């Protein structure tokens, strides 16, 4: 572990916060997003959506729609006749029940906003006129609008094949004798909490432009997705096209956060409509649909007990987790994504001797869910960090000290959850975070009599870059993990590098190029990163779960190294030297080790490789390309961080203000520290949103109550504090450049730290709050009762 | 979120706008800054067949002292008021503007639009009642002046006739010791509760607790006799009768009322 590593880099690209390659076009408004794409004769699509939360469809009549001026076509499920989208786990029926998600609802609707028909018109206004003319008749069924209602005796079934509305029910761990541990423990604490349903809320809503190309015999789909190849696979399965007949490309993206790492029904339907009409079709999700009918996340209920000894050492955790996954399993992850993540990873940074967990996913008549930045970790970290603080309070200990006694300090550490944790700076990040707040005098401020101030922490780790093995362990039947990269050098000595990952705002065009630049000794402006094109890139898994730099970046590095070897081999032949006597000279050339002035530039080598191939050595083919794949071995690599937060509560209103936010993070080698900080800040903003602001709510009939930003309270810049970030660096041995993932940590730590700080501020009231988002009225009531 | 089709008319004068309102009847709507109307049209909650744009009507964009009074034209934007120097007499008006939405909204939204839209938590509506404003309207029957106390009639309902246009609002008396404050979870949101006080009149007006901006005579009586602060807050909280709503119980709204009236009194006294 090294403090502030990026301050002392020396000429290498990795570790330098170079100007982002993306910035000139994005900052000047010259980016190209899906909605910027205009094709000749392009039509516009929107969806007739269910107005009932749970109903049988008895009739869909689109005849009036087709008569609306400007409307070109309207298709129901029957008209398009597409196969369903079904995501599977390799688990027995008592553990997992799959759902068939039709692209357009056929005979049954399961949430308000579910697409029933697609309407296509000459302009976006006529489309909406068309939607108003649709007639759908429903036979209403009783809706299931909460996890408790879903599990209630005799509850109506959302899917007839899922008894007790349970899609996933797994008990991954149950340490023998755990009940005795609880019986004999000095201290047992319990947290029961419910976290609000949230929307990942990319600024750019979902959208697609699709058209059929006769010359290429291809359905060309330009869509803002984190997973272009998975969109191609599903589209080919739903339509019966071969995958070569589908080309998915991805333009600039305004965020995804997981909402776009699953395949959306609308992008499939719009593409199928373009195929049918042989005309370009554009669908841009409007904000109302984005808030009510897009994939949601995060609504979970925990009932967790923890046992401690008198010195504050944790002895056992016993957890029951129920995730309200809404109406369908998402592809490819399934409804298992949240309960499996929580079950597998809950012990986190602590040395836990005994663990029992049951994780369930229930289905309800609400919009379905997808992974959202952090996936369950914001919640279980919040629960575990609350357990720590509650135990500290019961035992009369300092809340940082109790963590110090429990965090893993000797690595590698194999936990009770069968996960081996690679080295991190759990203890160091905790110490430094506390030190910063102490040095700044916040503990004195906390003591002032006339103010209501609290300090809270979250200490956590985060597995980044799940390899195939890790996902296989969760028994996913579609197992993302590897990434393949191809590096190609042209005759000008410049490079095109493919990656199967998909930047949707994370600056991969810059960071991946930095990795290549160091491997080959080529400046980054001679390197182009090619992503988001299924025709040009070998099957990739896109970007999610902090996998891009760890897995994609390692593939890019490995392919670069291979190309470097090839360049050396050709150079050795041309210089009549031994390959072992050659090295890349860091200046776009190869030189001899023992005679550095004898060198060949990459341009000279490329000249031979392409234009004078007869000069190549016998065993080397023409051209300069290298391909390599990478998968994370073992249990992969864990980033970690500690967040410290100071809040002030307003007695008169229950208002919560964040006075100070400190984040000490360790993502191994930071390729581009500023990008890492951007990821931290953005993630923290989303974590604060979950702790204090955002919640998707429904009424008893399952009608969504948050169709606009008036109701769905995404925080603005005014609500998000400055965040001070400190870096520690524990390089990963699992990845090519020592990097660990940095995409999700901010979101993971913030809810726990904020909630702990609020509870610390309420310390004199005797009230403890565990649910999020924290209701201001509840804070006010606590302060009122306590004064 | 695209509006239904409408016919667009640009009015060049107040008379022309009134004429159009008269001719087109119920199917027509005035559009000023569009910051309330367009959102409703995009959701198709409002679907006027005709829009009469008064944005370029001359003579409605003044901010002017007229003796003791302050006159503000209907097309003046929130931002123009926020950045105008109204002196200590009407600092309460310019200071209140920062509570309205966000900067882009304030640069388009207008005084006339806010008063006509008549949201019960809108700052302009509170200010109008607080300062005994007179709303000047023009219709086919000519000009008339409507006292703020009679203007707001219920949820988004005013005393305007269908063919009438707001042309100006007049604040007749200076209010050097007045303040408006409010609470919402996020900056720029409509207030959960807003409170405005004028210690000299005295006046206490609340937003967010009833269907119209609510004067609270019992709290005003306290200000008359006891002087500012805590008892006025108590009186205001006791006087209102809010409903329990999801996320905001009646009890909480009363507590917010108490707090905000107290704080408004403190702010006003400190001017
Ligand atoms: C995100 C957001 C947040 C907001 N927050 C606040 C807030 O905190 N507080 C607040 O007060 N407002 C808020 N607003 C509303 C904003 O202040 C509007 O500008 C205002 O309510 C309407 O003014 P306008 O000029 O935009 O009117 P328009 O939207 O053009 O019209 C509104 C209504 O008034 C009528 N109308 C307009 N001008 C006249 C006139 N001269 N005579 C007669 N009728 C007329 C129109 O026919 C229409 O019915 C917010 C708006 C948004 C989008």
């Amino acid at each position: 572990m090294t403090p502030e590593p990026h301050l002392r880099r020396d000429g290498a690209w990795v570790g330098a916060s170079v100007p982002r390659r993306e910035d000139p076009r994005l900052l000047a408004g010259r980016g190209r997003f899906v909605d910027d794409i205009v094709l000749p004769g392009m039509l516009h699509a929107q969806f007739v959506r269910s107005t009932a939360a749970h109903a049988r469809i008895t009739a869909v009549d689109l005849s009036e729609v087709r008569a609306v001026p400007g409307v070109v076509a309207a298709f129901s499920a029957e008209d398009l006749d597409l196969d369903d989208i079904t995501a599977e786990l390799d688990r027995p029926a008592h553990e997992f029940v799959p759902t068939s998600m039709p692209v357009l609802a056929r005979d049954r609707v399961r949430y308000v906003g579910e697409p029933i028909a697609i309407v296509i018109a000459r302009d976006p206004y006529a489309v909406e006129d068309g939607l108003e003319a649709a007639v759908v008749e429903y036979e209403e069924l009783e809706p299931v609008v909460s996890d408790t209602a879903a599990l209630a005796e005799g509850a109506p079934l959302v899917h007839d094949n899922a008894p007790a509305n349970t899609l996933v029910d797994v008990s991954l761990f149950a340490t023998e004798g755990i009940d005795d541990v609880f019986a004999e423990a000095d201290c047992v604490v319990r947290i029961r909490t419910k976290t609000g349903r949230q929307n990942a809320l990319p600024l750019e809503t979902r959208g697609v432009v699709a058209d059929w190309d006769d010359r290429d015999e291809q359905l060309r789909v330009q869509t803002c997705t984190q997973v272009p190849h998975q969109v191609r696979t599903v589209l080919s399965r739903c339509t019966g096209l071969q995958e070569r007949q589908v080309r998915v490309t991805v333009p600039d993206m305004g965020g995804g956060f997981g909402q776009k790492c699953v395949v959306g029904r609308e992008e499939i339907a719009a593409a199928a409509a373009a195929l049918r009409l042989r005309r370009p079709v554009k669908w841009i999700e409007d904000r109302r649909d984005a808030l009510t009918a897009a994939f949601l996340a995060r609504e979970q209920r925990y009932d967790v007990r923890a046992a401690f000894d008198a010195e504050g050492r944790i002895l056992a955790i016993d957890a029951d987790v129920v995730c309200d996954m809404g109406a369908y399993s998402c592809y490819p992850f399934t409804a298992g994504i949240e309960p499996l993540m929580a079950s597998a990873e809950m012990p986190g940074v602590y040395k836990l001797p005994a663990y029992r967990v049951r994780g369930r996913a229930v289905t309800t008549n609400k919009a379905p869910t997808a992974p959202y930045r952090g996936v369950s970790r914001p919640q279980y970290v919040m629960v575990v960090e609350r357990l720590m603080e509650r135990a500290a309070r019961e035992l009369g200990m300092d809340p940082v000290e109790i963590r110090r006694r429990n965090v893993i300090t000797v690595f590698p550490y194999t936990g009770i959850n069968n996960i081996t944790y690679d080295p991190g700076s759990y203890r160091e990040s905790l110490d430094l975070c506390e030190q910063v707040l102490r040095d700044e005098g916040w503990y004195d401020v906390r003591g002032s009599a006339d103010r209501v101030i609290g300090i809270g922490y979250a200490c956590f780790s985060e597995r980044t870059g799940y390899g195939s093995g890790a996902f296989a362990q969760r028994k996913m039947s579609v197992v993302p993990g590897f990434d393949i990269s191809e590096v190609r050098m042209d005759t000008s000595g410049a490079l095109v590098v493919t990656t199967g990952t998909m930047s949707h705002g994370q600056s991969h065009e810059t960071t991946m190029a930095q990795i290549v630049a160091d491997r080959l000794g080529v400046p980054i402006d001679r390197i182009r990163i090619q992503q988001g094109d299924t025709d040009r890139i070998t099957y990739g898994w896109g970007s999610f779960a902090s996998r891009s730099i760890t897995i994609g970046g390692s593939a890019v590095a490995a392919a670069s190294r291979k190309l470097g070897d090839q360049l050396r081999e050709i150079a050795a032949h041309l210089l009549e030297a031994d390959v072992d006597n050659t090295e890349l000279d860091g200046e776009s050339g190869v030189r001899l080790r023992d005679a550095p002035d004898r060198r060949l530039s990459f341009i000279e080598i490329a000249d031979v490789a392409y234009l004078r191939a007869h000069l190549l050595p016998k065993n080397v083919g023409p051209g300069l390309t290298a391909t390599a794949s990478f998968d994370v071995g073992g249990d992969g690599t864990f980033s970690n961080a500690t967040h410290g937060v100071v809040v002030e509560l307003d007695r008169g209103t229950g208002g919560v203000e964040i006075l100070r936010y400190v984040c000490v993070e360790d993502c191994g080698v930071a390729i581009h520290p500023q990008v890492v900080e951007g990821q931290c800040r953005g993630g923290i903003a989303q974590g604060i949103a979950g702790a204090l602001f955002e919640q998707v709510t429904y009424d008893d009939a399952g009608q969504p109550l948050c169709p606009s930003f008036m109701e769905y309270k995404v925080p603005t810049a005014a609500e998000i504090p400055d965040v001070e970030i400190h870096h520690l660096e524990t390089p990963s041995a699992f990845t090519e450049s020592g990097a660990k993932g940095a995409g999700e940590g901010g979101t993971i730590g913030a809810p726990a730290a904020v909630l702990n700080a609020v509870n610390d501020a309420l310390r004199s009231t005797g009230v403890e709050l565990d649910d999020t988002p924290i209701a201001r009225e509840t804070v006010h009531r606590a302060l009122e009762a306590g004064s | 979120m695209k509006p239904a089709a409408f016919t667009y008319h640009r009015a060049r004068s107040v008379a022309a706008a009134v004429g159009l309102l008269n001719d087109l009847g119920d199917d027509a709507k005035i559009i000023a800054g569009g910051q309330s109307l367009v959102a409703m049209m995009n959701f198709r909650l409002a679907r006027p067949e005709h829009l009469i744009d008064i944005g370029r009507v001359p003579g409605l964009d003044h901010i002017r002292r007229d003796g003791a009074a302050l006159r503000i034209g209907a097309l003046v934007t929130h931002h123009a008021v926020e950045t105008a120097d109204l002196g200590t007499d009407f600092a309460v008006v310019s200071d209140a503007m920062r509570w309205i939405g966000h900067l882009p909204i304030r640069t388009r939204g207008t005084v006339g639009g806010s008063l006509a839209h008549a949201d019960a938590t809108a700052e302009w509506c509170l200010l109008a009642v607080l300062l005994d404003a007179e709303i000047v309207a023009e219709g086919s029957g000519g000009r008339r002046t409507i006292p703020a106390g009679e203007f707001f009639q219920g949820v988004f309902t005013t005393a305007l006739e269908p063919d009438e246009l707001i042309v100006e609002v007049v604040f007749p008396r200076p209010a050097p010791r007045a303040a408006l404050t409010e609470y919402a979870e996020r900056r720029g949101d409509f207030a959960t509760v807003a409170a405005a006080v004028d210690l000299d009149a005295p006046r206490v007006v609340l937003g967010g607790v009833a269907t119209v901006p609510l004067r609270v005579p019992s709290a005003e009586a306290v200000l008359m006799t006891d002087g500012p602060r805590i008892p006025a807050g108590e009186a205001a909280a006791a006087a209102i009768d809010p409903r329990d709503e999801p996320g905001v119980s009646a009890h909480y709204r009363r507590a917010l009322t108490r707090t905000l009236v107290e704080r408004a009194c403190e702010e006003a006294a400190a001017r």
Side-chain angles (χ1 to χ4, degrees):
Chain A
M1 183 213 63
T2 327
E4 298 295 345
H6 64 290
L7 295 179
R8 18 167 217 82
R9 295 255 183 233
D10 42 2
W13 290 96
V14 165
S17 291
V18 297
R20 298 198 318 156
R21 307 279 303 278
E22 295 87 345
D23 281 342
R25 70 169 192 275
L26 292 180
L27 297 181
R30 288 197 301 267
R32 189 172 66 248
F33 297 84
V34 169
D35 202 17
D36 295 324
I37 296 167
V38 177
L39 299 179
M42 187 175 77
L43 303 171
H44 297 262
Q46 288 296 343
F47 292 86
V48 175
R49 294 180 181 277
S50 174
T51 56
H54 195 191
R56 252 186 279 285
I57 299 178
T58 52
V60 178
D61 182 355
L62 303 176
S63 51
E64 294 287 314
V65 178
R66 295 182 182 115
V68 168
V71 169
V72 174
F75 301 121
S76 65
E78 213 172 291
D79 300 323
L80 287 185
D81 192 26
L82 300 165
D83 278 2
D84 292 355
I85 304 172
T86 308
E88 300 267 3
L89 290 181
D90 265 340
R91 289 185 179 273
H94 67 275
E95 287 190 347
F96 175 73
V97 180
T99 60
S100 288
M101 180 163 74
V103 175
L104 294 172
R106 254 185 234 102
D107 45 3
R108 180 108 164 244
V109 284
R110 295 185 170 87
Y111 62 97
V112 173
E114 179 157 9
I116 295 171
I118 182 169
V119 176
I120 294 134
R122 277 202 305 268
D123 65 66
Y125 298 84
V127 177
E128 294 204 21
D129 297 342
L131 298 183
E132 289 181 279
V135 180
V136 180
E137 281 167 29
Y138 304 98
E139 184 189 309
E140 301 244 5
L141 301 168
E142 196 186 329
V144 177
V145 291
S146 71
D147 61 317
T148 43
L151 291 172
E153 194 85 32
L157 292 185
V158 177
H159 292 272
D160 298 338
N161 63 331
N165 291 312
T166 301
L167 300 182
V168 175
D169 187 350
V170 286
S171 299
L172 292 188
F173 303 99
T175 309
E176 216 171 296
I178 191 169
D179 289 318
D180 298 335
V181 178
F182 275 98
E184 289 156 21
D186 293 299
C187 165
V188 174
V189 291
R190 180 175 185 185
I191 297 284
R192 274 177 291 188
T193 178
K194 167 99 198 315
T195 60
R197 201 174 195 78
Q198 270 182 275
N199 191 312
L201 213 74
L203 263 189
E204 180 202 30
T205 58
R206 298 179 300 157
V208 61
V209 176
D211 68 320
W212 173 260
D213 186 280
D214 272 322
R215 190 162 167 273
D216 290 341
E217 289 187 328
Q218 264 190 331
L219 184 57
R220 298 187 300 199
V221 182
Q222 306 186 65
T223 181
C224 51
T225 182
Q226 298 169 233
V227 288
H229 278 98
Q230 285 66 53
V231 172
R232 186 182 76 177
T233 297
V234 170
L235 193 49
S236 121
R237 290 192 187 164
C238 289
T239 56
L241 292 173
Q242 301 159 37
E243 287 211 34
R244 64 139 186 113
Q245 292 176 298
V246 179
R247 178 177 186 180
V248 176
T249 55
V250 185
D252 280 321
M253 275 177 76
F257 310 114
Q259 192 175 79
K260 300 174 184 168
C261 81
V262 297
V263 180
R265 306 157 81 166
E266 291 90 344
E267 56 195 339
I268 302 299
L275 179 63
R276 166 73 75 94
L277 294 168
R278 302 283 156 130
R279 289 186 64 180
V281 172
K282 173 187 272 188
W283 168 66
I284 300 296
E285 183 178 51
D286 69 26
R287 189 58 73 180
R288 177 177 37 190
D289 287 349
L291 285 170
T292 55
F295 292 97
L296 303 173
R298 295 251 201 278
E299 188 171 8
Q300 302 187 352
R301 188 183 298 277
Y302 286 75
D303 187 346
V304 184
R305 291 182 311 141
F308 289 80
D309 70 14
E311 276 77 52
R313 275 185 294 266
I314 192 163
L315 304 173
I317 283 181
D318 186 8
D320 185 45
V321 185
V322 178
C323 307
D324 179 343
M325 303 306 284
Y328 297 96
S329 266
C330 61
Y331 182 92
F333 300 97
T334 79
I337 181 88
E338 287 192 0
L340 288 169
M341 176 70 90
S343 301
E345 315 261 345
M346 194 177 308
V349 291
Y350 298 115
K351 290 173 285 186
L352 181 72
Y355 180 42
R356 179 163 62 199
V357 63
R358 179 181 187 193
R360 278 175 286 178
V362 298
T363 177
T364 56
N365 293 115
K366 298 192 276 198
T369 49
Y372 171 21
R373 199 177 197 174
V375 184
S376 286
R377 289 169 290 190
Q379 288 94 336
Y380 77 68
V381 166
M382 191 174 94
V383 170
V384 172
E385 294 299 282
R386 289 291 304 129
L387 289 170
M388 283 292 157
E389 299 230 345
R390 186 163 293 174
R393 206 177 270 197
E394 298 245 326
L395 293 164
M397 282 179 68
D398 177 84
V400 176
E401 179 55 28
I402 196 169
R403 291 181 172 94
R404 236 175 242 130
R405 289 187 189 179
N406 286 295
V407 288
I408 302 163
T409 51
V410 179
F411 300 96
Y413 176 89
T414 299
I416 186 82
N417 50 351
N418 292 335
I419 291 174
T420 300
Y421 295 81
D422 66 331
S425 53
Y426 304 173
R427 168 79 189 259
E428 294 84 350
S429 69
L430 184 61
D431 289 347
L432 178 56
C433 192
E434 187 194 23
Q435 196 58 47
V436 171
L437 291 181
R438 282 201 187 282
D439 291 349
E440 290 179 353
W442 289 108
Y443 279 86
D444 301 332
V445 179
R446 174 178 179 268
S448 52
D450 52 334
R451 299 174 72 180
V452 191
I453 288 181
I455 297 177
Y457 293 94
C459 182
F460 61 95
S461 69
E462 163 206 1
R463 181 168 5 182
T464 65
Y466 284 76
S468 306
F471 278 127
Q473 212 172 33
R474 292 204 186 155
K475 302 208 164 59
M476 286 180 62
S477 63
V478 172
V479 181
F482 65 83
D483 198 64
I484 301 170
S485 172
E486 187 200 3
V487 178
R488 208 178 322 131
M489 182 172 280
D490 59 29
T491 58
S492 55
L495 294 153
V496 175
V497 180
T498 71
T499 173
T501 63
M502 187 62 242
S503 181
H504 41 291
Q506 299 94 332
S507 329
H508 294 172
E509 288 166 51
T510 306
T511 52
M512 297 278 184
Q514 286 177 273
I515 292 174
V516 177
D518 276 355
R519 292 294 179 294
L520 288 171
V522 172
I524 59 169
D525 61 3
R526 299 185 67 76
I527 302 165
R528 181 167 121 72
I529 299 299
Q530 169 95 58
Q531 54 183 343
D533 185 338
T534 56
D535 265 16
R536 297 204 198 166
I537 292 156
T538 311
Y539 208 91
W541 288 103
S543 286
F544 53 84
S546 302
R547 69 187 301 279
S548 302
I549 282 297
T550 47
I551 299 176
S554 292
V556 159
S560 303
R561 240 187 317 106
K562 241 168 127 174
L563 185 73
D565 291 346
Q566 207 175 313
L567 287 161
R568 283 173 47 221
E569 192 160 350
I570 298 170
H573 178 74
L574 297 174
L575 293 170
E576 297 177 350
D578 191 62
V579 178
D580 294 339
N581 188 25
T582 61
E583 64 185 7
L584 302 184
D585 68 357
E587 287 170 24
S588 301
V590 179
R591 68 184 171 201
L592 299 188
R593 283 178 196 273
D594 60 0
D597 53 326
R598 291 195 60 207
R599 80 184 280 275
L600 283 175
S601 71
F602 289 167
I603 294 180
E604 290 168 312
I605 300 171
D607 193 58
V608 169
Y610 288 105
L611 307 181
R612 295 188 293 147
H614 61 286
L615 299 179
L616 285 169
K618 297 243 161 345
N619 56 336
V620 176
L624 283 173
T625 71
T627 303
S629 69
F630 185 85
D631 203 333
V632 176
D635 290 334
T637 188
F638 286 75
S639 296
N640 69 274
T642 299
H643 293 200
V645 177
V646 185
V647 300
E648 177 159 21
L649 309 183
D650 183 335
R651 281 187 191 284
T653 63
V656 180
E657 194 189 346
I658 298 175
L659 302 178
R660 188 73 176 126
Y661 203 113
V662 176
C663 163
V664 180
E665 70 81 38
D666 186 343
C667 65
V669 173
I671 307 295
H672 188 299
Q674 240 175 33
V675 166
V676 169
E677 293 188 1
Q679 290 294 313
C680 289
R681 293 207 165 85
I684 286 167
Q686 288 182 312
I688 291 172
L692 292 175
F693 295 98
E694 295 179 0
Q695 183 168 24
V696 177
T697 52
Y698 294 81
D699 71 8
D700 292 343
Q703 293 293 329
L705 297 175
C706 302
S708 84
F709 287 139
M710 294 263 277
E711 302 84 14
Y712 189 69
K713 293 188 184 297
V714 55
T716 70
E719 283 73 45
I720 301 299
D722 283 343
V723 175
E724 178 165 314
I725 299 168
H726 295 257
H727 301 277
L728 301 174
E729 181 181 294
T730 312
S732 170
F734 286 88
T735 61
E736 285 268 342
S737 44
K740 302 173 174 182
E744 299 168 280
T747 325
I748 295 171
V754 170
L755 190 60
N756 278 335
V758 169
N759 277 299
D760 186 49
L762 291 173
R763 63 195 174 276
S764 65
T765 66
V767 178
E768 289 187 47
L769 307 179
D770 292 320
D771 294 345
T772 56
I774 300 168
R776 304 304 188 276
E777 170 156 16
T778 320
V779 173
H780 179 266
R781 206 181 312 125
L783 289 168
E784 197 176 41
S787 62
Chain B
M1 293 178 74
K2 303 287 180 211
F6 56 84
T7 306
Y8 175 87
H9 307 264
R10 170 167 284 159
R12 303 277 172 189
S13 67
V14 172
V18 169
L20 282 167
L21 277 177
N22 230 332
D23 293 348
L24 301 169
D26 278 355
D27 294 336
K29 263 215 166 291
I30 299 285
I31 181 164
Q35 296 302 294
S36 295
L37 184 56
V38 171
M40 293 195 300
M41 288 170 64
N42 285 348
F43 276 96
R44 299 201 172 192
L45 295 170
R47 36 197 324 157
E49 303 243 329
H50 299 272
L51 274 192
I52 305 167
D53 185 354
I54 59 169
R56 298 213 188 153
V57 172
L60 300 181
D61 59 354
H62 56 280
I63 305 176
R64 189 167 64 228
R65 285 303 287 266
D66 179 2
L70 173 68
R71 313 182 77 98
I72 302 182
L75 285 180
V76 172
T77 64
H78 313 319
H79 182 64
V81 175
E82 185 178 15
T83 49
D85 181 6
L86 303 184
T88 49
D89 283 0
F90 290 103
V92 58
V93 176
S94 47
D95 282 357
M97 296 299 106
R98 71 194 150 93
W99 294 105
I100 304 180
H102 308 278
L103 184 61
I105 292 154
R106 296 200 288 271
T107 57
R108 288 192 164 268
T110 66
V111 179
S114 287
L115 292 168
H117 187 59
D119 189 296
T121 57
E123 289 72 11
W124 278 113
C125 302
L126 263 71
L127 289 169
V129 175
L130 180 78
L131 303 178
D132 299 316
E134 289 155 0
I135 288 133
V136 183
E138 187 168 325
S140 38
R143 275 197 184 211
R144 64 174 179 134
T145 295
I146 311 164
E150 295 162 22
F151 186 78
F152 302 104
Q153 301 194 330
V155 186
F156 300 117
T157 313
T158 69
L160 282 180
E161 295 297 330
D163 69 348
E164 273 184 322
L165 197 69
I166 298 176
V167 292
E168 190 181 43
V169 57
V170 184
F171 297 100
R173 58 174 167 80
R177 294 203 309 143
L180 180 150
T181 191
E182 57 189 53
Y183 177 77
E185 269 175 39
R186 291 180 304 185
R187 279 291 183 80
D189 273 350
F190 280 98
T192 311
V193 174
V197 301
D198 179 347
L199 298 180
D200 296 322
R203 284 278 183 284
V204 175
V205 184
L206 301 174
V209 302
T211 55
V212 293
L214 188 73
R215 260 188 75 179
V216 195
S218 59
E220 292 171 359
V222 172
L223 286 184
M224 193 90 84
T225 53
D226 293 358
R229 289 166 214 189
I230 292 157
E234 293 292 351
I240 60 174
D241 185 20
R243 280 178 309 137
D244 280 327
E245 283 168 39
V248 188
S249 71
H251 174 82
Y252 182 45
R253 217 179 275 277
R254 266 201 206 90
L256 287 174
T257 300
R258 184 185 316 119
T259 298
L260 293 165
V261 169
E262 275 170 37
R263 289 181 185 172
C265 286
E266 276 166 32
E267 252 185 69
R271 276 196 196 276

